[in-house]
Amino acid sequence: MEVVAVGGCWCDFVSISPKLPKKGQTILGSKFLTQHGGKAANVAVTVSHLKGKSAIIGRVGNDFWGENRIKSLNELGVNTNCLQKTSGHHTGIAMVNLSEAGENQIVGIPGANYQVSAQDIDKYKSIIEKAEVVVVTLEIPVPSAIRSLELSQRISILNAAPAPENCDPALFTLPTVFVVNETEASIFTGLPVVSFEDCKKAVKCFLEKGCKSVIITMGEKGAVFGSDATSDPIHVKCPQVACIDSTAAGDAFVGVLAYLMTYRKDIEMEQMVEAACYCASYSVTIQGSQASLPTLTTLQQYFLEKF
């Protein structure tokens, strides 16, 4: 398989309301949705949408939601042979509060996702080793994520979310590309990460921790990219669009990046980041997580506009 995503497979319960509630506040919402999610699942679906080959390694519960997730991923072209059903644990659930302006709050209950063990990863060792790109998320236990990165033989991308409070240094040194958003970057570095200049400082901090290359996504402000081979971090901008739902934008970004690192080795990393920003931007104009993930048409439009 060309791209293997290791990590979360969830079911999202989404409440839509005019605004997000404040601490202790109860508000009335306008709509409720059940949809498919999970960072690793979303990455695998994005690659499949782009006509690439993808597989997911993880766990779901031996329940209705788990069966439903496997069926849906199969229909979307994702190889689910390594997505195990787990007795005694429910499928991962994400409770999403979404404002009509597109802002979100998410609480995830990992369930079966946290039963993914290092032994599970070793079971699929040959699949990981043969992958062109391995994408790992932290919706599974950190030792399992680290083992996945250790087994990767080519390119590995760590989407270090959700960010753990106490971080194993191997998470910085093992992946080819370390990807976080501003909030996660702040947790990992202890620095305020709001502006472009803040991001530059955070990127340099990550490189000092042993990262080979770092991308900090900044929502509508684009992304900042830096590596041990560049003298100064680069700010990559994205199109300005009307945001409806930002829930899976980060996953769209990582999925496009993984696709390009697999199938478009002829272009520079800065352009890959720009293309990923472009596709992620248009994903926020569509409601839903996997329903909003970019297609090959969106990516082709980027190349048409750029060239």
Side-chain angles (χ1 to χ4, degrees), residues 31 38 46 55 72 74 81 90 133 137-138 146 151 153 182 193 208 212 237 239 244 247-248 260 262 278 292 301:
K31 196 174 183 180
T46 298
S72 172
N74 283 332
N81 291 342
H90 63 78
V133 173
T137 74
L138 297 183
I146 289 173
L151 291 175
Q153 299 294 301
E182 307 119 293
V193 183
E208 289 170 0
K212 301 175 182 69
K237 296 181 180 180
I244 293 175
T247 304
L260 292 172
T262 302
Y278 180 95
S292 70
Q301 184 62 36

Side-chain angles (χ1 to χ4, degrees), residues 57-58 60 76 85 109 165 188 190 194 200 243 250-251 253 260:
I57 295 176
V60 293
L76 291 169
K85 292 181 181 178
I109 303 100
E165 294 291 341
F188 280 115
V194 179
K200 287 176 64 175
C243 178
D251 305 335
F253 178 95
L260 292 172

Side-chain angles (χ1 to χ4, degrees), residues 2-259:
E2 300 291 348
V3 177
V4 173
V6 186
C9 186
W10 305 67
C11 181
D12 295 349
F13 295 151
V14 184
S15 300
I16 302 174
S17 55
K19 61 181 181 180
L20 295 179
K22 297 177 182 178
K23 181 179 179 180
Q25 182 184 23
T26 299
I27 63 175
L28 294 178
S30 56
K31 196 174 183 180
F32 173 77
L33 302 170
T34 301
Q35 55 193 29
H36 303 306
K39 289 184 174 298
N42 288 345
V43 166
V45 170
T46 298
V47 173
S48 183
H49 276 183
L50 298 172
K51 308 305 179 185
K53 294 181 179 179
S54 66
I56 181 171
I57 295 176
R59 284 183 176 269
V60 293
N62 189 15
D63 53 23
F64 168 80
W65 298 114
E67 186 66 38
N68 190 259
R69 293 299 291 108
I70 292 172
K71 179 183 177 183
S72 172
L73 288 168
N74 283 332
E75 290 173 348
L76 291 169
V78 176
N79 186 311
T80 61
N81 291 342
C82 307
L83 189 57
Q84 303 179 74
K85 292 181 181 178
T86 311
S87 297
H89 298 274
H90 63 78
T91 298
I93 298 296
M95 310 298 292
V96 182
N97 289 333
L98 176 66
S99 77
E100 291 174 359
E103 301 170 314
N104 64 56
Q105 298 170 332
I106 303 173
V107 175
I109 303 100
N113 291 287
Y114 260 37
Q115 301 307 307
V116 177
S117 66
Q119 290 74 28
D120 287 337
I121 303 305
D122 283 332
K123 180 179 178 181
Y124 303 116
K125 177 181 177 180
S126 63
I127 294 170
I128 295 172
E129 289 179 337
K130 292 175 183 176
E132 193 65 34
V133 173
V134 177
V135 178
V136 181
T137 74
L138 297 183
E139 300 160 305
I140 59 176
V142 169
S144 304
I146 289 173
R147 184 60 181 150
S148 303
L149 295 168
E150 289 173 339
L151 291 175
S152 175
Q153 299 294 301
R154 295 178 178 84
I155 298 169
S156 59
I157 301 172
L158 174 62
N159 184 11
E165 294 291 341
N166 298 309
C167 182
D168 190 310
L171 293 177
F172 301 124
T173 59
L174 285 172
T176 310
V177 186
F178 183 91
V179 182
V180 286
N181 64 22
E182 307 119 293
T183 303
E184 293 148 3
S186 182
I187 293 171
F188 280 115
T189 64
L191 301 171
V193 183
V194 179
S195 67
F196 169 53
E197 290 301 319
D198 292 340
C199 282
K200 287 176 64 175
K201 292 175 184 177
V203 166
K204 291 179 178 179
C205 181
F206 282 125
L207 294 175
E208 289 170 0
K209 291 177 181 290
C211 289
K212 301 175 182 69
S213 59
V214 180
I215 300 171
I216 300 177
T217 59
M218 303 173 67
E220 71 278 4
K221 294 177 284 187
V224 176
F225 165 70
S227 74
D228 52 13
T230 57
S231 58
D232 203 35
I234 299 167
H235 182 199
V236 178
K237 296 181 180 180
C238 62
Q240 297 304 299
V241 297
C243 178
I244 293 175
D245 184 354
S246 62
T247 304
D251 305 335
F253 178 95
V254 174
V256 173
L257 182 67
Y259 172 86

